[in-house]
Amino acid sequence: MEIKDNEFSRQFEAVSDGEKISVEYSVQERKLFLTKLNTPNDIDESIVNEFLESILASAEEKRLRVVPTHPKIADFFRKNPQYKEMLPPGIRI
């Protein structure tokens, strides 16, 4: 899945099966705050997971810590403990 980093809108965007998926973000002090997940209601969860995995891979390349503030993104971290090392110190999910 190809992700576009729309820095003007401060969101990551992707298109899957003609549907637009986006995650709004903010970068502060080497931390990437994932603030809002925008998806169509009928989208498959595996597509959303692939989208989030791509975002986290990009954040890992830039050596950013990730703070998930949206409940669905926090659930993704709970279901995938391999990404918990990307959380800043003191943040537990």
Side-chain angles (χ1 to χ4, degrees):
M1 176 177 293
E2 185 175 336
I3 294 178
K4 178 184 172 194
D5 183 1
N6 187 341
E7 292 180 6
F8 181 72
S9 298
R10 292 187 317 213
Q11 64 184 12
F12 296 107
E13 302 170 342
V15 177
S16 177
D17 298 330
E19 301 285 345
K20 182 179 174 184
I21 308 167
S22 64
V23 172
E24 295 178 14
Y25 70 88
S26 173
V27 177
Q28 299 172 7
E29 301 176 8
R30 308 280 306 153
K31 293 183 184 122
L32 177 66
F33 290 82
L34 301 176
T35 56
K36 188 173 182 183
L37 175 65
N38 300 313
T39 60
N41 291 334
D42 60 345
I43 196 159
D44 188 19
E45 187 176 339
S46 65
I47 295 171
V48 175
N49 288 343
E50 181 183 346
F51 178 56
L52 292 174
E53 288 170 0
S54 299
I55 292 171
L56 294 176
S58 173
E60 189 172 30
E61 288 176 10
K62 296 176 184 175
R63 297 183 183 256
L64 295 174
R65 296 292 185 170
V66 179
V67 180
T69 59
H70 192 272
K72 288 185 181 180
I73 298 173
D75 285 341
F76 174 80
F77 272 83
R78 283 187 202 99
K79 292 176 184 174
N80 299 287
Q82 68 268 25
Y83 294 113
K84 288 191 178 187
E85 64 197 30
M86 296 183 73
L87 296 171
I91 302 276
R92 290 181 168 238
I93 293 187

Coordinates of all heavy atoms in Angstrom, one line a residue:
M1 N 0.8 -1.2 0.0 CA 0.0 0.0 0.0 C 0.9 1.2 0.0 O 1.8 1.3 0.8 CB -0.9 0.0 1.2 CG -1.7 1.2 1.4 SD -2.9 1.2 2.8 CE -4.0 -0.1 2.3
E2 N 0.6 2.2 -0.9 CA 1.4 3.4 -1.0 C 0.7 4.5 -0.1 O -0.5 4.7 -0.3 CB 1.5 3.8 -2.4 CG 2.4 5.0 -2.6 CD 2.5 5.4 -4.1 OE1 2.4 4.5 -4.9 OE2 2.8 6.6 -4.3
I3 N 1.5 5.1 0.7 CA 1.0 6.1 1.6 C 1.6 7.5 1.1 O 2.7 7.6 0.8 CB 1.5 5.9 3.0 CG1 0.9 4.6 3.5 CG2 1.2 7.0 3.9 CD1 1.3 4.3 4.9
K4 N 0.7 8.5 1.1 CA 1.1 9.8 0.8 C 1.1 10.6 2.1 O 0.1 10.6 2.9 CB 0.1 10.4 -0.2 CG 0.5 11.9 -0.5 CD -0.6 12.5 -1.5 CE -0.3 13.9 -1.6 NZ -1.4 14.6 -2.3
D5 N 2.2 11.3 2.4 CA 2.3 12.2 3.6 C 1.9 13.6 3.1 O 2.7 14.3 2.5 CB 3.7 12.2 4.1 CG 3.8 13.0 5.4 OD1 2.8 13.6 5.9 OD2 5.0 13.1 5.9
N6 N 0.7 14.0 3.4 CA 0.2 15.3 3.1 C 0.6 16.3 4.2 O -0.2 16.4 5.2 CB -1.3 15.3 2.8 CG -1.9 16.6 2.3 OD1 -1.3 17.6 2.4 ND2 -3.1 16.5 1.7
E7 N 1.7 16.9 4.1 CA 2.2 17.7 5.2 C 1.4 19.0 5.4 O 1.3 19.5 6.5 CB 3.7 18.1 4.9 CG 4.6 16.9 5.0 CD 6.0 17.3 4.8 OE1 6.4 18.5 4.6 OE2 6.9 16.3 4.7
F8 N 0.7 19.5 4.3 CA -0.1 20.7 4.4 C -1.3 20.4 5.3 O -1.7 21.1 6.2 CB -0.6 21.1 3.1 CG -1.4 22.4 3.1 CD1 -0.9 23.6 3.4 CD2 -2.8 22.3 2.9 CE1 -1.7 24.7 3.5 CE2 -3.6 23.4 2.9 CZ -3.1 24.6 3.2
S9 N -1.9 19.2 5.1 CA -3.1 18.8 5.9 C -2.7 18.1 7.2 O -3.6 17.7 8.0 CB -4.1 18.0 5.1 OG -4.6 18.7 4.0
R10 N -1.4 17.8 7.3 CA -0.9 17.0 8.4 C -1.7 15.6 8.5 O -2.2 15.3 9.6 CB -1.0 17.7 9.7 CG 0.0 18.9 9.7 CD 0.0 19.5 11.1 NE -1.3 19.6 11.6 CZ -1.7 20.6 12.4 NH1 -0.9 21.5 12.8 NH2 -2.9 20.6 12.9
Q11 N -1.7 14.9 7.5 CA -2.3 13.6 7.5 C -1.6 12.6 6.5 O -1.1 13.1 5.5 CB -3.8 13.6 7.2 CG -4.2 14.1 5.9 CD -5.7 14.3 5.8 OE1 -6.4 14.2 6.8 NE2 -6.2 14.4 4.6
F12 N -1.6 11.4 6.9 CA -1.2 10.3 6.0 C -2.4 9.9 5.2 O -3.5 9.7 5.8 CB -0.6 9.1 6.7 CG 0.7 9.5 7.5 CD1 0.6 9.6 8.9 CD2 1.9 9.7 6.8 CE1 1.8 9.9 9.6 CE2 3.0 10.0 7.5 CZ 3.0 10.1 8.9
E13 N -2.3 9.6 3.9 CA -3.4 9.3 3.1 C -3.1 8.0 2.2 O -1.9 7.9 1.8 CB -3.8 10.4 2.1 CG -4.1 11.7 2.8 CD -4.3 12.9 1.9 OE1 -3.8 12.8 0.7 OE2 -4.9 13.9 2.3
A14 N -4.1 7.2 2.0 CA -3.9 6.1 1.1 C -5.3 5.8 0.4 O -6.3 6.2 1.0 CB -3.4 4.9 1.8
V15 N -5.3 5.2 -0.7 CA -6.5 4.8 -1.4 C -6.5 3.3 -1.6 O -5.5 2.8 -2.1 CB -6.7 5.5 -2.8 CG1 -7.9 5.1 -3.5 CG2 -6.7 7.0 -2.6
S16 N -7.5 2.6 -1.1 CA -7.6 1.2 -1.3 C -9.0 0.9 -1.8 O -10.0 1.3 -1.1 CB -7.4 0.5 0.1 OG -7.5 -0.9 -0.1
D17 N -9.1 0.2 -2.9 CA -10.4 -0.2 -3.5 C -11.3 1.0 -3.7 O -12.5 1.0 -3.5 CB -11.1 -1.2 -2.6 CG -10.4 -2.5 -2.4 OD1 -9.6 -2.9 -3.4 OD2 -10.5 -3.2 -1.4
G18 N -10.7 2.1 -4.1 CA -11.4 3.3 -4.4 C -11.9 4.1 -3.2 O -12.5 5.1 -3.3
E19 N -11.5 3.6 -2.0 CA -11.9 4.3 -0.7 C -10.7 5.0 -0.1 O -9.6 4.5 -0.1 CB -12.4 3.2 0.3 CG -13.6 2.5 -0.2 CD -14.9 3.3 -0.1 OE1 -14.9 4.3 0.5 OE2 -15.8 2.8 -0.7
K20 N -10.9 6.2 0.3 CA -9.8 7.0 0.9 C -9.7 6.7 2.4 O -10.7 6.8 3.1 CB -10.0 8.5 0.7 CG -8.9 9.3 1.2 CD -9.1 10.8 0.9 CE -8.1 11.6 1.6 NZ -8.3 13.1 1.5
I21 N -8.5 6.5 2.9 CA -8.2 6.2 4.3 C -7.2 7.3 4.7 O -6.2 7.6 3.9 CB -7.5 4.9 4.5 CG1 -8.4 3.8 3.9 CG2 -7.4 4.6 6.0 CD1 -7.6 2.4 3.9
S22 N -7.4 7.9 5.9 CA -6.4 8.9 6.3 C -6.2 8.9 7.8 O -7.1 8.5 8.6 CB -6.8 10.3 5.9 OG -8.0 10.7 6.5
V23 N -5.0 9.3 8.3 CA -4.7 9.4 9.7 C -4.2 10.8 9.9 O -3.1 11.1 9.3 CB -3.7 8.3 10.2 CG1 -3.3 8.6 11.6 CG2 -4.3 7.0 10.1
E24 N -4.8 11.6 10.7 CA -4.3 12.9 11.0 C -3.2 12.8 12.1 O -3.3 11.9 13.0 CB -5.4 13.8 11.6 CG -6.5 14.1 10.5 CD -7.6 14.9 11.0 OE1 -7.5 15.5 12.1 OE2 -8.7 14.9 10.3
Y25 N -2.2 13.6 12.0 CA -1.1 13.5 12.9 C -0.5 14.9 13.3 O -0.8 15.9 12.7 CB 0.0 12.6 12.3 CG 0.8 13.3 11.1 CD1 1.9 14.1 11.3 CD2 0.4 13.1 9.8 CE1 2.6 14.7 10.3 CE2 1.0 13.7 8.8 CZ 2.1 14.5 9.0 OH 2.8 15.1 8.0
S26 N 0.4 14.8 14.3 CA 1.1 16.0 14.7 C 2.5 15.5 15.1 O 2.6 14.4 15.8 CB 0.4 16.7 15.9 OG 1.2 17.7 16.4
V27 N 3.5 16.3 14.8 CA 4.9 15.9 15.2 C 5.4 17.0 16.2 O 5.4 18.1 15.9 CB 5.8 15.8 14.0 CG1 7.2 15.5 14.4 CG2 5.3 14.8 13.0
Q28 N 5.8 16.5 17.4 CA 6.3 17.4 18.4 C 7.5 16.7 19.1 O 7.3 15.5 19.6 CB 5.3 17.8 19.4 CG 4.1 18.5 18.8 CD 3.0 18.7 19.8 OE1 3.1 18.4 21.0 NE2 1.8 19.2 19.4
E29 N 8.6 17.3 19.2 CA 9.7 16.8 20.0 C 10.0 15.3 19.7 O 10.1 14.5 20.5 CB 9.5 16.9 21.5 CG 9.3 18.4 21.9 CD 8.9 18.4 23.4 OE1 9.0 17.4 24.1 OE2 8.6 19.5 23.8
R30 N 10.2 15.0 18.4 CA 10.6 13.6 18.0 C 9.5 12.6 18.3 O 9.7 11.4 18.4 CB 11.9 13.2 18.5 CG 13.1 14.1 18.3 CD 13.7 14.1 16.9 NE 14.1 12.8 16.6 CZ 14.2 12.4 15.3 NH1 13.9 13.2 14.3 NH2 14.6 11.2 15.0
K31 N 8.3 13.1 18.5 CA 7.1 12.2 18.7 C 6.1 12.4 17.7 O 5.7 13.5 17.3 CB 6.5 12.4 20.1 CG 7.4 12.1 21.2 CD 6.7 12.3 22.6 CE 7.7 12.0 23.7 NZ 7.9 13.1 24.6
L32 N 5.5 11.3 17.2 CA 4.4 11.4 16.2 C 3.1 11.0 16.9 O 2.9 9.9 17.4 CB 4.7 10.3 15.1 CG 3.7 10.2 14.0 CD1 3.6 11.5 13.2 CD2 4.0 9.0 13.1
F33 N 2.3 12.0 17.0 CA 1.0 11.8 17.6 C 0.0 11.5 16.5 O -0.3 12.3 15.6 CB 0.5 13.1 18.4 CG 1.3 13.4 19.6 CD1 2.5 14.1 19.5 CD2 0.8 13.1 20.8 CE1 3.3 14.4 20.6 CE2 1.6 13.4 22.0 CZ 2.8 14.0 21.8
L34 N -0.6 10.3 16.6 CA -1.6 9.9 15.7 C -3.0 10.2 16.3 O -3.5 9.5 17.2 CB -1.5 8.4 15.4 CG -0.1 8.0 14.8 CD1 -0.1 6.5 14.6 CD2 0.1 8.7 13.5
T35 N -3.6 11.3 15.8 CA -4.8 11.9 16.5 C -6.1 11.4 16.0 O -7.1 11.4 16.8 CB -4.7 13.4 16.4 OG1 -4.6 13.8 15.1 CG2 -3.5 13.9 17.2
K36 N -6.2 11.1 14.7 CA -7.6 10.7 14.2 C -7.5 9.8 13.0 O -6.7 10.0 12.1 CB -8.3 12.0 13.8 CG -9.8 11.7 13.5 CD -10.5 13.0 13.2 CE -12.0 12.7 12.9 NZ -12.7 13.9 12.6
L37 N -8.3 8.8 13.0 CA -8.3 7.8 11.9 C -9.6 8.0 11.2 O -10.7 7.9 11.8 CB -8.3 6.4 12.5 CG -8.4 5.2 11.5 CD1 -7.3 5.2 10.5 CD2 -8.5 3.9 12.2
N38 N -9.5 8.3 9.9 CA -10.7 8.5 9.0 C -10.8 7.4 8.0 O -10.0 7.3 7.1 CB -10.6 9.8 8.3 CG -10.5 11.0 9.2 OD1 -11.3 11.1 10.2 ND2 -9.5 11.9 9.0
T39 N -11.8 6.5 8.2 CA -12.0 5.4 7.3 C -13.5 5.3 6.9 O -14.4 5.7 7.7 CB -11.6 4.1 7.9 OG1 -12.4 3.8 9.1 CG2 -10.1 4.1 8.3
P40 N -13.8 4.7 5.8 CA -15.2 4.4 5.5 C -15.7 3.4 6.4 O -15.0 2.5 6.9 CB -15.2 3.9 4.0 CG -13.9 4.2 3.5 CD -13.0 4.4 4.7
N41 N -17.0 3.4 6.7 CA -17.6 2.4 7.7 C -17.5 1.0 7.2 O -17.3 0.1 8.1 CB -19.1 2.7 7.9 CG -19.2 4.0 8.6 OD1 -18.4 4.5 9.4 ND2 -20.4 4.7 8.4
D42 N -17.5 0.7 5.9 CA -17.5 -0.7 5.5 C -16.2 -1.2 5.0 O -16.1 -2.2 4.4 CB -18.5 -0.8 4.3 CG -18.1 0.1 3.1 OD1 -17.3 1.0 3.3 OD2 -18.7 -0.1 2.0
I43 N -15.1 -0.6 5.5 CA -13.7 -1.0 5.0 C -13.3 -2.2 5.9 O -13.6 -2.3 7.1 CB -12.7 0.2 5.1 CG1 -11.5 -0.2 4.3 CG2 -12.4 0.5 6.5 CD1 -10.7 1.0 3.8
D44 N -12.5 -3.1 5.3 CA -12.0 -4.3 5.9 C -10.9 -3.9 6.9 O -10.1 -3.0 6.6 CB -11.4 -5.2 4.9 CG -11.1 -6.6 5.5 OD1 -11.5 -6.9 6.6 OD2 -10.3 -7.3 4.8
E45 N -10.9 -4.5 8.1 CA -9.9 -4.2 9.1 C -8.5 -4.5 8.7 O -7.6 -3.8 9.1 CB -10.3 -4.9 10.4 CG -9.4 -4.5 11.6 CD -9.8 -5.2 12.9 OE1 -11.0 -5.7 13.0 OE2 -9.0 -5.3 13.8
S46 N -8.3 -5.5 7.9 CA -7.0 -5.9 7.4 C -6.4 -4.7 6.6 O -5.1 -4.5 6.6 CB -7.0 -7.2 6.6 OG -7.7 -7.0 5.4
I47 N -7.2 -4.0 5.8 CA -6.7 -2.9 5.0 C -6.2 -1.8 6.0 O -5.2 -1.2 5.8 CB -7.7 -2.4 4.0 CG1 -8.0 -3.5 3.0 CG2 -7.3 -1.1 3.4 CD1 -9.2 -3.2 2.1
V48 N -7.0 -1.5 7.0 CA -6.6 -0.5 8.0 C -5.3 -0.9 8.7 O -4.4 0.0 8.9 CB -7.8 -0.2 9.0 CG1 -7.4 0.7 10.1 CG2 -9.0 0.3 8.3
N49 N -5.2 -2.2 9.1 CA -4.0 -2.6 9.7 C -2.8 -2.5 8.8 O -1.7 -2.1 9.3 CB -4.2 -4.1 10.2 CG -5.1 -4.2 11.3 OD1 -5.4 -3.3 12.0 ND2 -5.6 -5.5 11.5
E50 N -2.9 -2.8 7.6 CA -1.8 -2.6 6.6 C -1.4 -1.2 6.5 O -0.2 -0.8 6.4 CB -2.2 -3.2 5.2 CG -1.1 -3.1 4.2 CD -1.6 -3.6 2.8 OE1 -2.6 -4.2 2.7 OE2 -0.9 -3.3 1.9
F51 N -2.4 -0.3 6.5 CA -2.1 1.2 6.4 C -1.4 1.6 7.6 O -0.4 2.3 7.5 CB -3.5 1.9 6.3 CG -3.4 3.4 6.2 CD1 -2.6 4.0 5.3 CD2 -4.1 4.1 7.1 CE1 -2.6 5.4 5.2 CE2 -4.1 5.5 7.1 CZ -3.3 6.1 6.1
L52 N -1.8 1.2 8.8 CA -1.1 1.6 10.1 C 0.3 1.0 10.1 O 1.2 1.7 10.6 CB -2.0 1.2 11.3 CG -3.3 1.9 11.5 CD1 -4.1 1.3 12.6 CD2 -3.0 3.4 11.7
E53 N 0.5 -0.2 9.7 CA 1.8 -0.8 9.6 C 2.7 0.0 8.7 O 3.9 0.2 9.1 CB 1.7 -2.3 9.2 CG 1.1 -3.2 10.2 CD 0.8 -4.6 9.6 OE1 1.1 -4.8 8.4 OE2 0.3 -5.4 10.4
S54 N 2.2 0.5 7.6 CA 3.1 1.3 6.7 C 3.5 2.6 7.4 O 4.6 3.1 7.2 CB 2.3 1.5 5.4 OG 2.0 0.4 4.8
I55 N 2.5 3.2 8.1 CA 2.8 4.5 8.8 C 3.9 4.2 9.9 O 4.8 5.0 10.0 CB 1.5 5.0 9.4 CG1 0.6 5.5 8.3 CG2 1.9 6.2 10.4 CD1 -0.8 5.9 8.8
L56 N 3.7 3.2 10.6 CA 4.7 2.9 11.7 C 6.1 2.5 11.1 O 7.1 2.9 11.7 CB 4.2 1.7 12.6 CG 2.9 2.1 13.4 CD1 2.4 0.9 14.2 CD2 3.2 3.3 14.3
A57 N 6.1 1.9 9.9 CA 7.4 1.6 9.3 C 8.1 2.9 8.9 O 9.3 3.1 9.1 CB 7.2 0.7 8.1
S58 N 7.3 3.8 8.4 CA 7.9 5.2 8.0 C 8.4 5.9 9.3 O 9.5 6.5 9.3 CB 6.8 6.0 7.3 OG 7.2 7.3 7.1
A59 N 7.6 5.8 10.4 CA 8.0 6.5 11.6 C 9.3 5.9 12.2 O 10.2 6.5 12.7 CB 6.9 6.4 12.6
E60 N 9.4 4.5 12.0 CA 10.6 3.8 12.5 C 11.9 4.3 11.8 O 12.9 4.4 12.3 CB 10.4 2.3 12.5 CG 11.4 1.5 13.2 CD 11.1 0.1 13.2 OE1 10.4 -0.4 12.3 OE2 11.5 -0.6 14.2
E61 N 11.7 4.4 10.5 CA 12.8 4.9 9.6 C 13.3 6.3 10.1 O 14.5 6.6 10.0 CB 12.4 5.0 8.2 CG 12.3 3.6 7.5 CD 11.8 3.8 6.1 OE1 11.7 4.9 5.5 OE2 11.4 2.7 5.5
K62 N 12.4 7.1 10.5 CA 12.7 8.5 10.9 C 13.1 8.6 12.4 O 13.3 9.6 12.9 CB 11.5 9.4 10.6 CG 11.2 9.6 9.2 CD 10.0 10.4 9.0 CE 9.6 10.4 7.5 NZ 8.4 11.2 7.3
R63 N 13.0 7.4 13.0 CA 13.4 7.3 14.5 C 12.5 8.1 15.4 O 12.9 8.8 16.3 CB 14.8 7.6 14.7 CG 15.8 6.6 14.1 CD 17.2 6.9 14.4 NE 18.1 6.1 13.7 CZ 18.7 5.0 14.3 NH1 18.5 4.8 15.5 NH2 19.5 4.3 13.6
L64 N 11.2 8.1 15.0 CA 10.2 8.8 15.8 C 9.5 7.9 16.8 O 9.3 6.7 16.5 CB 9.1 9.5 14.9 CG 9.6 10.5 13.9 CD1 8.4 10.9 13.0 CD2 10.1 11.8 14.7
R65 N 9.2 8.4 18.0 CA 8.3 7.7 18.9 C 6.9 7.9 18.5 O 6.6 9.0 17.9 CB 8.5 8.1 20.3 CG 9.9 7.9 20.9 CD 10.1 6.4 21.0 NE 11.4 6.1 21.6 CZ 11.7 4.9 22.0 NH1 10.9 3.9 21.9 NH2 12.9 4.7 22.6
V66 N 6.0 7.0 18.8 CA 4.6 7.1 18.3 C 3.7 7.2 19.5 O 3.8 6.4 20.4 CB 4.2 6.0 17.4 CG1 2.8 6.1 17.0 CG2 5.1 5.9 16.2
V67 N 2.8 8.2 19.5 CA 1.8 8.3 20.6 C 0.4 8.2 20.0 O -0.1 9.1 19.3 CB 1.9 9.7 21.3 CG1 0.8 9.8 22.4 CG2 3.3 9.9 21.9
P68 N -0.3 7.0 20.1 CA -1.6 6.9 19.6 C -2.7 7.5 20.5 O -2.9 7.0 21.6 CB -1.8 5.3 19.5 CG -0.9 4.8 20.6 CD 0.2 5.8 20.7
T69 N -3.3 8.5 20.0 CA -4.4 9.2 20.8 C -5.8 8.7 20.4 O -6.7 8.9 21.1 CB -4.2 10.7 20.7 OG1 -4.4 11.1 19.4 CG2 -2.9 11.1 21.3
H70 N -5.9 8.2 19.2 CA -7.2 7.7 18.7 C -7.5 6.3 19.2 O -6.6 5.5 19.2 CB -7.3 7.7 17.2 CG -8.6 7.6 16.6 ND1 -9.2 6.3 16.4 CD2 -9.6 8.5 16.3 CE1 -10.4 6.5 15.9 NE2 -10.7 7.8 15.8
P71 N -8.7 6.0 19.7 CA -9.0 4.7 20.3 C -8.7 3.5 19.4 O -8.2 2.5 19.8 CB -10.5 4.7 20.7 CG -10.8 6.2 20.8 CD -9.8 6.9 19.9
K72 N -9.0 3.6 18.1 CA -8.8 2.5 17.2 C -7.3 2.3 16.9 O -6.9 1.1 16.7 CB -9.5 2.8 15.8 CG -11.0 2.6 15.9 CD -11.7 2.8 14.6 CE -13.2 2.7 14.7 NZ -13.8 2.8 13.4
I73 N -6.5 3.3 16.9 CA -5.1 3.2 16.7 C -4.5 2.6 18.0 O -3.6 1.7 17.9 CB -4.5 4.5 16.4 CG1 -5.0 5.0 15.1 CG2 -2.9 4.4 16.3 CD1 -4.6 6.4 14.7
A74 N -5.0 3.0 19.2 CA -4.5 2.4 20.4 C -4.9 0.9 20.5 O -4.1 0.1 20.9 CB -5.1 3.1 21.6
D75 N -6.0 0.5 20.0 CA -6.4 -0.9 19.9 C -5.4 -1.7 19.0 O -5.1 -2.8 19.2 CB -7.8 -1.1 19.3 CG -8.9 -0.7 20.4 OD1 -8.6 -0.7 21.6 OD2 -10.0 -0.5 19.9
F76 N -5.0 -1.0 17.9 CA -4.0 -1.7 17.0 C -2.7 -2.0 17.8 O -2.2 -3.0 17.6 CB -3.7 -0.7 15.8 CG -2.6 -1.2 14.9 CD1 -2.9 -2.2 14.0 CD2 -1.3 -0.7 15.0 CE1 -1.9 -2.7 13.1 CE2 -0.3 -1.2 14.2 CZ -0.6 -2.2 13.3
F77 N -2.3 -1.0 18.6 CA -1.1 -1.3 19.4 C -1.3 -2.4 20.4 O -0.4 -3.2 20.7 CB -0.7 0.0 20.2 CG 0.2 0.9 19.3 CD1 -0.3 1.8 18.4 CD2 1.6 0.9 19.5 CE1 0.5 2.6 17.7 CE2 2.4 1.7 18.8 CZ 1.9 2.5 17.8
R78 N -2.5 -2.5 21.0 CA -2.8 -3.6 21.9 C -2.7 -5.0 21.2 O -2.2 -5.9 21.8 CB -4.1 -3.4 22.6 CG -4.2 -2.4 23.6 CD -5.5 -2.3 24.4 NE -5.7 -1.0 25.0 CZ -6.4 0.0 24.5 NH1 -7.0 -0.1 23.3 NH2 -6.4 1.1 25.1
K79 N -3.2 -5.0 20.0 CA -3.3 -6.3 19.3 C -2.0 -6.7 18.7 O -1.8 -7.8 18.3 CB -4.4 -6.2 18.1 CG -5.8 -6.1 18.7 CD -6.8 -5.9 17.5 CE -8.2 -5.7 18.1 NZ -9.1 -5.4 17.0
N80 N -1.1 -5.7 18.5 CA 0.2 -5.9 17.9 C 1.4 -5.5 18.8 O 1.9 -4.4 18.7 CB 0.3 -5.2 16.6 CG -0.7 -5.6 15.6 OD1 -0.6 -6.7 15.0 ND2 -1.7 -4.8 15.4
P81 N 1.7 -6.3 19.8 CA 2.7 -5.9 20.8 C 4.1 -5.6 20.2 O 4.9 -5.0 20.9 CB 2.7 -7.1 21.8 CG 2.1 -8.2 21.1 CD 1.2 -7.7 20.0
Q82 N 4.4 -6.1 19.0 CA 5.7 -5.8 18.5 C 5.9 -4.3 18.2 O 7.1 -3.9 18.1 CB 5.9 -6.6 17.1 CG 5.1 -6.1 16.0 CD 3.8 -6.9 15.8 OE1 3.3 -7.4 16.8 NE2 3.3 -6.9 14.6
Y83 N 4.9 -3.5 18.2 CA 5.0 -2.1 18.0 C 5.1 -1.3 19.3 O 5.3 -0.1 19.3 CB 3.9 -1.5 17.2 CG 3.9 -2.0 15.8 CD1 2.9 -2.9 15.3 CD2 4.9 -1.7 14.9 CE1 2.9 -3.4 14.0 CE2 4.9 -2.2 13.6 CZ 3.9 -3.0 13.2 OH 4.0 -3.5 11.9
K84 N 4.9 -2.0 20.5 CA 5.0 -1.2 21.7 C 6.3 -0.6 22.0 O 6.4 0.3 22.8 CB 4.5 -2.2 22.9 CG 3.1 -2.5 22.8 CD 2.6 -3.2 24.0 CE 1.1 -3.4 23.9 NZ 0.5 -3.9 25.1
E85 N 7.4 -1.1 21.4 CA 8.7 -0.5 21.6 C 8.8 0.9 21.0 O 9.7 1.6 21.3 CB 9.8 -1.4 21.0 CG 9.7 -1.6 19.5 CD 10.4 -2.7 19.0 OE1 10.6 -3.7 19.7 OE2 10.9 -2.6 17.8
M86 N 7.9 1.2 20.1 CA 7.9 2.5 19.5 C 7.2 3.6 20.4 O 7.3 4.8 20.1 CB 7.2 2.5 18.2 CG 7.9 1.6 17.2 SD 7.1 1.6 15.5 CE 7.6 3.3 15.0
L87 N 6.5 3.2 21.5 CA 5.9 4.1 22.4 C 7.0 4.9 23.2 O 8.0 4.3 23.5 CB 5.0 3.4 23.3 CG 3.8 2.7 22.7 CD1 3.0 1.8 23.7 CD2 2.8 3.7 22.1
P88 N 6.7 6.1 23.5 CA 7.7 6.8 24.4 C 7.7 6.2 25.8 O 6.7 5.6 26.2 CB 7.1 8.3 24.4 CG 6.0 8.3 23.5 CD 5.6 6.9 23.1
P89 N 8.8 6.5 26.5 CA 8.9 6.0 27.9 C 7.7 6.5 28.7 O 7.4 7.7 28.6 CB 10.2 6.5 28.4 CG 11.0 6.8 27.2 CD 10.0 7.2 26.1
G90 N 7.1 5.7 29.5 CA 6.1 6.1 30.4 C 4.7 5.9 29.8 O 3.7 6.1 30.5
I91 N 4.5 5.6 28.6 CA 3.2 5.5 27.9 C 2.9 4.0 27.9 O 3.7 3.2 27.4 CB 3.2 6.0 26.5 CG1 3.6 7.5 26.4 CG2 1.9 5.7 25.8 CD1 2.5 8.4 26.7
R92 N 1.8 3.6 28.5 CA 1.3 2.2 28.5 C 0.0 2.2 27.8 O -0.9 3.0 28.0 CB 1.2 1.7 29.9 CG 2.5 1.5 30.5 CD 2.3 0.9 31.9 NE 3.6 0.5 32.4 CZ 3.9 -0.7 32.8 NH1 2.9 -1.7 32.8 NH2 5.0 -1.1 33.2
I93 N -0.2 1.1 27.0 CA -1.5 0.9 26.3 C -2.0 -0.5 26.6 O -1.3 -1.4 26.7 CB -1.3 1.1 24.8 CG1 -1.0 2.6 24.6 CG2 -2.5 0.7 24.1 CD1 -0.9 3.0 23.1

